[in-house]
Amino acid sequence: MILIFFNVFAKERNMNKLFAQCNFGKMHSASTLTAEKNIGNVERILQIIEKEFGLTNLDGIKTKHMERVFEVLQEKGLSNSTLASYATAARMIAEQINKKNIVPRTNAELGISRTGERLNPVQCNTEKMQEIRAGLYNKAEYLGLAHDMRGAFGLRAKESLVSSKVLSDAQGRQFLAVEGSKGGRPREIELRTPEQKAVLERVHGYLRATGQKSLIPANLSLKQGLEAQKKALESCGAKKAYGTHA
């Protein structure tokens, strides 16, 4: 599936000579969106190598080429999070040509450190949060429901749009089956509060009324739904107030 996706992706682009030699048929564990991001980063890395060194043979890539790539990327002032994504792509290239040692095993060796980036507490402004929530509901009910799912279960943006299935165990406990999780890793969240159960009831009612399988409108693809949600959050001031992760 991903190999087919890559071939279509490749034909739609004016590829450089290095990128044209890639074959990522082994990317079967990645979601389509993740695969697209990784392949895009691979292409940009190879563009830098071709531009800086004039290299035209993928197998000719060496440590010095990768080191220069990250010098160029860091000169652009990219965040450590973005650089870490490029590091993943660089290792994909190294594995492709059976030269894993041309890219350091750790991001720290590339000068990439996300220490402190994940822990950046923001003072909660409940009035602003309610304003954002109201704005999302005004735009579309599914956007408001996804907002409430994130608040009740601590879901990521994608997860809040596609997660609604409830599972039960032998003890009668109920769990939300989280779909669309990062890296495709399955996880479940136990329903513990009345608020969690209430928002799920509203989501299930919405899905029954619309005949949809998820909160994403039937006329939108997953990618389009995520983009619509992102734009809605930004227009309501969520990104400016808290950042998209918050």
Side-chain angles (χ1 to χ4, degrees):
M1 174 64 181
I2 297 302
L3 177 57
I4 295 173
F5 165 78
F6 171 77
N7 290 336
V8 172
F9 180 90
K11 289 176 182 177
E12 291 177 347
R13 312 178 83 87
N14 182 18
M15 298 184 299
N16 60 30
K17 294 179 181 179
L18 295 177
F19 186 65
Q21 298 168 40
C22 294
N23 184 340
F24 291 105
K26 295 183 179 180
M27 290 176 61
H28 56 272
S29 63
S31 70
T32 301
L33 290 176
T34 301
E36 183 176 354
K37 177 181 177 182
N38 288 340
I39 290 172
N41 287 343
V42 165
E43 183 182 20
R44 285 183 281 275
I45 287 173
L46 295 178
Q47 285 174 342
I48 293 172
I49 292 175
E50 190 167 315
K51 179 180 179 180
E52 294 279 325
F53 299 96
L55 198 66
T56 57
N57 189 333
L58 193 66
D59 292 330
I61 297 177
K62 300 178 181 179
T63 302
K64 66 178 182 179
H65 301 129
M66 287 300 187
E67 289 176 345
R68 178 55 185 158
V69 164
F70 284 91
E71 288 176 0
V72 171
L73 293 174
Q74 288 169 334
E75 287 169 3
K76 293 179 180 292
L78 301 179
S79 69
N80 284 314
S81 176
T82 300
L83 289 171
S85 295
Y86 276 105
T88 297
R91 294 186 183 101
M92 286 169 55
I93 296 170
E95 185 173 354
Q96 174 96 170
I97 60 177
N98 295 315
K99 293 182 179 180
K100 294 183 179 181
N101 62 330
I102 65 174
V103 181
R105 291 185 178 183
T106 67
N107 290 348
E109 293 174 85
L110 288 169
I112 304 170
S113 174
R114 298 185 65 182
T115 302
E117 283 192 0
R118 295 177 181 272
L119 299 174
N120 186 22
V122 178
Q123 183 66 36
C124 179
N125 183 331
T126 54
E127 184 176 334
K128 182 62 178 177
M129 288 176 65
Q130 289 302 317
E131 180 183 320
I132 292 169
R133 180 178 184 270
L136 291 170
Y137 268 104
N138 285 336
K139 288 180 178 297
E141 186 177 2
Y142 83 92
L143 292 170
L145 289 170
H147 170 280
D148 289 347
M149 287 289 287
R150 291 192 294 277
F153 294 97
L155 303 178
R156 296 182 177 92
K158 179 181 177 182
E159 296 169 343
S160 69
L161 286 173
V162 299
S163 302
S164 62
K165 186 177 180 180
V166 176
L167 307 174
S168 299
D169 66 7
Q171 287 73 45
R173 295 178 300 176
Q174 292 185 309
F175 299 83
L176 173 69
V178 180
E179 299 182 49
S181 57
K182 201 168 185 179
R185 296 184 293 272
R187 65 189 178 97
E188 299 169 356
I189 300 175
E190 184 176 0
L191 275 64
R192 295 179 178 273
T193 70
E195 290 76 17
Q196 290 174 328
K197 295 177 181 179
V199 69
L200 266 177
E201 287 179 3
R202 290 192 287 113
V203 168
H204 290 160
Y206 176 84
L207 296 180
R208 286 193 298 271
T210 59
Q212 297 174 185
K213 294 182 179 180
S214 74
L215 289 177
I216 299 175
N219 64 318
L220 300 180
S221 66
L222 172 59
K223 184 177 181 179
Q224 290 170 332
L226 289 171
E227 185 63 25
Q229 184 186 64
K230 178 183 177 181
K231 289 180 179 179
L233 284 165
E234 290 177 353
S235 67
C236 290
K239 184 175 182 179
K240 184 177 180 180
Y242 304 109
T244 52
H245 278 77

